């Protein structure tokens, strides 16, 4: 492993969210909140398991949770009052899931980072599960070890449902991870760190409608794994932290007291090919980063603090531990890096204003792009915001992974080389080239993961085509049907349904800021960009792990 230690966030500080207006809020700890142990979400137990098949039930439910002193907060969660239990899957498993909706309104179940077929299994806007109903899905896990996650994704109420608590970790394990000499005892030397922020109103309640901001909502209170002021009892020399950027809008700029070095070993959808040492790491909305921290220079009774900017998020309280001489290998993972046909056109995706992709707002029944199954393509993704007033936009693709190839024609950042990603921050006036690869057919979204932005229309759709069945079509949901369902669930007229931001397909949805709509010049016309590619020869249907030489079928 290189001994070089990177000491900045890689991104230009002028682009950080704190340097723009747009509703930014400083963090604070409400009065009377005492330090509490970090909650480690319990593991979700399967309903049953037979050989390589495993069955789960995931229930979206209402609950109450004690975030602050006083009255409990009304929340939504998965099999838990808020957030959810951690689902642990193994590469090669055939997973059967019952999706149960016990909420008072429709929701969906999006597997962010999981490579599953779409639109049904992917669980975005086209796959609603209505109140009191259940839906059955199944898929085979065909990707390397990573932290993926499940969150609600109903159009256009994704942001409000995630704000209520609908997000949970989905861990994928494999044979390569099992043989790596890294911390991996869940809850002892391996901890998920779900980074979120919230605003608490009267009696400690959420009020998304009151807090809504089209540019993205900032909370003023940090909530880490559901805890406002958490601490971790450190009982091992090395600790693995798996960060998830679970906020609607906020970027988390993390560093430890004393500039303690973090060794990054993983990104969104895989381990890094080679570990990277750093003292600072930026986690954008939707991103995941895994680091190992070595506390060997501390003694029992010491406290090491994790900060975002200059605000303390988590205390790590050092206890006695045994010496650990394990060494993180120089090579952790060998990513499959497919060849792109040089004659293939390069799609150009632009993120415009806060609410458009390629100059258009999202339309649920419009296919914006097509790509062949198992055929890698370059995508150029540009943030067209101006440098003075613009912001970092986290670009996310459903149902696929990508490799970051370049930033404005230059090398990608050190911690995004040789790692599968599904979400990447793109700075104003920056073009990031991605190598995108789909191993499942279907219709998938790609969008900004500032959740209010995707709800407002900064989202588009790609259809992945199997050349053996090129004419296959998919039944896609429409906005009118969803709006009608929301109105019936709430017992109000359709024109009173509050779905802020989006006015797709001519639906006059209450809460839309028509002044912003007018500025955008949004078009709702149906458009399809279909480029043909010559087939590329490769053999990698299962992401076989070249590091361990193990096949995980």
């Amino acid at each position: 492993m290189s001994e070089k230690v990177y000491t900045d966030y890689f991104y230009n500080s002028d682009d950080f969210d704190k340097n723009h207006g747009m509703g930014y809020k400083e963090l604070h700890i409400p009065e009377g909140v005492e330090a509490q142990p970090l909650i480690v979400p319990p593991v979700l137990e399967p309903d049953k398991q037979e050989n390589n098949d495993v069955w789960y039930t995931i229930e979206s439910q209402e609950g109450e949770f004690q975030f602050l002193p006083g009255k409990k907060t009304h929340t939504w969660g998965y099999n838990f009052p808020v957030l959810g239990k951690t689902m642990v899957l193994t590469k090669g498993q055939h997973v059967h899931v019952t999706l149960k909706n016990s909420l008072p309104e429709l929701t969906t179940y999006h597997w962010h980072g999981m490579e599953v077929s779409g639109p049904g299994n992917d669980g975005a806007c086209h796959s609603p599960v209505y109140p009191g109903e259940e839906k059955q899905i199944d898929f085979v896990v065909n990707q390397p070890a990573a932290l993926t996650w499940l969150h609600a994704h109903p159009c256009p109420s994704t942001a409000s449902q995630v704000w209520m608590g609908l997000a949970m970790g989905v861990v994928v394990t494999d044979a390569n991870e099992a043989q790596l000499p890294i911390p991996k005892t869940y809850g002892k030397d391996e901890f998920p760190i779900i980074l979120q922020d919230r605003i608490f109103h009267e009696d400690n309640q959420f009020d998304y409608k009151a807090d809504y901001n089209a540019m993205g909502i900032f909370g003023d209170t940090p909530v880490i794994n559901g805890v406002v002021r958490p601490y971790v009892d450190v009982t091992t020399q090395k600790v693995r932290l798996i960060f998830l950027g679970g906020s609607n809008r906020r970027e988390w700029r993390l560093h430890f007291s004393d500039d303690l070095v973090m060794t990054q070993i993983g990104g969104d959808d895989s381990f890094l090919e080679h570990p990277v040492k750093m003292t600072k790491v930026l986690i954008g909305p939707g991103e995941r980063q895994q680091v190992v921290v070595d506390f060997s220079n501390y003694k029992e009774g010491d406290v090491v603090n994790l900060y975002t900017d200059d605000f303390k998020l988590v205390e790590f309280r050092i206890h006695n531990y045994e010496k650990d001489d394990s060494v993180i290998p120089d090579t952790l993972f060998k990513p499959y890096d497919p060849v792109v046909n040089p004659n293939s056109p390069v799609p150009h995706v632009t993120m415009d204003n806060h609410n458009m992709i390629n100059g258009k707002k999202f339309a649920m029944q419009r296919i914006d792009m097509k790509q062949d199954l198992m055929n890698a393509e370059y995508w150029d993704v540009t943030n067209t915001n101006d440098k003075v007033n613009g912001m970092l936009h986290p670009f996310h693709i459903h149902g696929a992974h990508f490799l970051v190839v370049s930033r404005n024609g230059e090398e990608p950042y050190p911690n995004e080389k040789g790692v599968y990603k599904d979400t990447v921050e793109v700075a104003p006036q920056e073009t990031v080239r991605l190598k995108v690869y789909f191993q499942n057919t279907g219709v998938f979204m790609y969008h900004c993961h500032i959740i209010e932005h995707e709800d407002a229309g900064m989202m588009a759709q790609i259809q992945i085509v199997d050349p053996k069945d090129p004419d296959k079509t998919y039944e896609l949901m429409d906005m009118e049907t969803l709006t009608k369902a929301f109105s019936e669930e709430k017992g109000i007229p359709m024109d009173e349904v509050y779905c802020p931001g989006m006015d797709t397909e001519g639906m006059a949805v209450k809460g839309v800021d028509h002044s912003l709509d007018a500025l955008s010049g949004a078009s709702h016309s149906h458009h399809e960009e279909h480029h043909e590619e010559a087939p590329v020869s490769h053999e990698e249907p299962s992401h076989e792990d070249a590091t361990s030489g193990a096949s995980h079928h």
Side-chain angles (χ1 to χ4, degrees):
M1 184 194 332
S2 170
E3 292 305 309
K4 179 176 177 62
V5 177
Y6 295 92
T7 58
D8 61 46
Y9 292 110
F10 303 130
Y11 301 90
N12 187 328
S13 62
D14 290 342
D15 299 327
F16 291 168
D17 54 22
K18 66 178 181 177
N19 295 328
H20 305 282
M22 304 185 201
Y24 183 80
K25 290 182 172 61
E26 299 286 348
L27 294 171
H28 80 289
I29 301 295
E31 186 176 350
V33 175
E34 301 292 334
Q36 302 175 64
L38 179 78
I39 293 174
V40 179
V43 173
L44 179 65
E45 295 296 328
D47 299 331
K48 67 175 181 177
Q49 187 164 0
E50 295 178 357
N51 300 319
N52 205 42
D53 287 78
V54 61
W55 286 260
Y56 288 94
T57 298
I58 296 178
E59 181 180 6
S60 299
Q61 61 187 52
E62 295 184 280
E64 290 185 326
F65 196 75
Q66 193 78 60
F67 290 104
L68 303 176
K71 191 170 181 179
K72 291 183 177 180
T73 305
H74 178 227
T75 54
W76 292 358
Y78 296 116
N79 303 78
F80 211 61
V82 68
L83 300 178
K85 298 182 179 182
T86 299
M87 191 177 190
V88 180
L89 306 175
T90 301
K91 185 174 181 179
Q93 277 185 324
H94 187 182
V95 183
H96 310 259
V97 187
T98 298
L99 305 172
K100 181 178 181 181
N101 183 7
S102 296
L103 299 172
E105 65 182 57
L106 69 88
T107 189
T108 71
Y109 302 76
H110 168 49
W111 302 83
H112 182 135
M114 291 296 291
E115 299 195 37
V116 297
S117 62
N121 283 349
D122 177 64
C125 306
H126 300 299
S127 306
V129 181
Y130 296 97
E133 295 188 0
E134 297 181 356
K135 179 181 178 180
Q136 310 294 325
I137 64 169
D138 72 288
F139 54 85
V140 174
V141 181
N142 188 24
Q143 59 194 96
L147 171 65
T148 69
W149 59 305
L150 180 75
H151 65 78
H153 204 306
C155 296
S157 297
T158 301
S160 61
Q161 291 198 0
V162 172
W163 190 259
M164 286 297 294
L166 290 179
M168 65 176 257
V170 181
V171 172
V172 177
T173 63
D174 68 5
N176 177 50
E177 180 185 34
Q179 60 86 32
L180 288 175
I182 58 175
K184 46 179 171 279
T185 304
Y186 185 74
K188 181 180 180 182
D189 61 10
E190 175 193 279
F191 299 93
I193 306 291
I194 302 172
L195 301 158
Q196 296 183 309
D197 51 347
R198 292 292 181 269
I199 299 170
F200 294 92
H201 291 267
E202 186 177 356
D203 290 330
N204 297 335
Q205 302 306 304
F206 299 143
D207 188 342
Y208 181 82
K209 188 173 181 179
D211 298 327
Y212 174 72
N213 185 328
M215 293 300 173
I217 298 181
F218 289 98
D220 56 13
T221 302
V223 181
I224 313 301
N225 292 15
V227 181
V228 171
R229 191 179 164 192
Y231 67 85
V232 175
D233 287 316
V234 177
T235 60
T236 60
Q237 180 179 316
K238 292 186 174 74
V239 172
R240 176 180 172 190
L241 303 175
I242 307 177
F243 296 116
L244 162 60
S247 288
N248 286 33
R249 169 68 183 96
R250 183 179 298 272
E251 302 150 12
W252 301 86
R253 288 171 290 275
L254 305 179
H255 63 96
F256 280 94
S257 49
D258 305 327
D259 283 330
L260 179 62
V261 171
M262 297 175 275
T263 301
Q264 184 167 346
I265 61 171
D268 293 339
D269 297 329
S270 75
F271 288 111
L272 273 66
E273 183 172 9
H274 306 295
V276 176
K277 291 184 176 181
M278 59 187 66
T279 58
K280 297 181 175 69
V281 61
L282 183 147
I283 315 287
E287 283 191 300
R288 288 88 66 210
Q289 313 279 21
Q290 298 190 37
V291 304
V292 173
V293 182
D294 187 341
F295 292 104
S296 59
N297 290 330
Y298 297 92
K299 64 182 184 302
E300 184 175 20
D302 287 345
V303 175
V304 185
N305 295 315
L306 176 69
Y307 292 87
T308 181
D309 295 328
D310 58 357
F311 185 88
K312 185 173 76 174
L313 285 178
V314 186
E315 287 185 1
F316 290 82
R317 300 178 177 181
I318 309 301
H319 296 262
N320 277 330
Y321 47 72
E322 295 181 0
K323 188 176 181 180
D324 181 354
D325 291 325
S326 63
V327 177
I328 297 174
D330 289 339
T331 299
L332 298 164
F333 173 72
K334 283 289 188 182
Y336 170 56
D337 189 3
V339 174
V340 175
N341 187 326
N343 296 319
S344 293
V346 178
H348 191 192
V349 178
T350 63
M351 293 185 285
D352 310 313
N353 294 342
H354 71 289
N355 61 350
M356 291 185 292
I357 295 283
N358 290 105
K360 294 186 288 293
K361 296 180 75 172
F362 177 64
M364 293 186 70
Q365 296 188 312
R366 186 183 69 224
I367 301 299
D368 299 277
M369 187 159 57
K370 291 186 177 183
Q371 182 170 327
D372 280 350
L373 179 69
M374 310 289 266
N375 187 58
E377 287 189 358
Y378 292 127
W379 292 20
D380 283 347
V381 180
T382 299
N383 178 348
T384 63
N385 287 183
D386 67 72
K387 291 294 289 183
V388 176
N389 301 306
M391 63 180 78
L392 288 164
H393 285 295
F395 180 73
H396 170 54
I397 305 176
H398 287 213
H401 70 259
F402 54 74
L403 297 171
V404 181
V405 177
S406 64
R407 287 181 174 272
N408 280 345
E410 304 294 331
E411 287 284 306
Y413 297 140
N415 67 335
E416 57 189 18
K417 293 180 181 179
V419 58
Y420 293 164
K421 288 185 63 62
D422 58 57
T423 306
V424 63
E425 291 275 9
V426 185
Q429 296 298 303
E430 182 177 39
T431 295
V432 177
R433 173 160 287 194
L434 310 175
K435 184 181 288 188
V436 184
Y437 178 80
F438 286 86
Q439 62 170 335
N440 293 284
T441 57
V443 174
F444 301 94
M445 279 80 177
Y446 52 97
H447 58 80
C448 175
H449 215 283
I450 295 173
I451 310 182
E452 282 74 23
H453 291 189
E454 67 179 84
D455 277 354
M458 190 180 273
M459 184 158 62
Q461 297 185 118
I462 183 169
Q463 181 172 340
I464 304 306
V465 178
D466 184 347
K468 298 176 183 177
D469 187 13
D471 299 322
K472 184 173 181 179
T473 59
Y474 297 87
E475 184 176 342
L476 302 180
M477 182 60 63
D478 63 273
M479 192 62 204
E480 183 173 5
T481 298
L482 285 180
T483 306
K484 183 178 180 181
F486 277 122
S487 74
E488 291 173 351
E489 291 157 8
K490 297 175 185 295
I492 58 176
M494 286 178 65
D495 62 0
E496 293 183 12
V497 171
Y498 180 75
C499 293
M502 189 182 289
D503 181 23
T504 56
E505 300 165 359
M507 289 299 299
V509 179
K510 188 173 182 178
V512 170
D513 187 336
H514 289 285
S515 61
L516 288 171
D517 206 32
L519 284 172
S520 73
S523 168
H524 305 306
S525 63
H526 288 260
H527 167 76
E528 179 180 298
E529 175 187 334
H530 187 180
H531 48 272
E532 301 289 347
E533 312 88 353
V536 177
S537 174
H538 61 72
E539 296 180 346
E540 221 290 60
S542 64
H543 298 323
E544 182 171 318
D545 191 337
T547 303
S548 64
S551 178
H552 312 313
H553 294 285

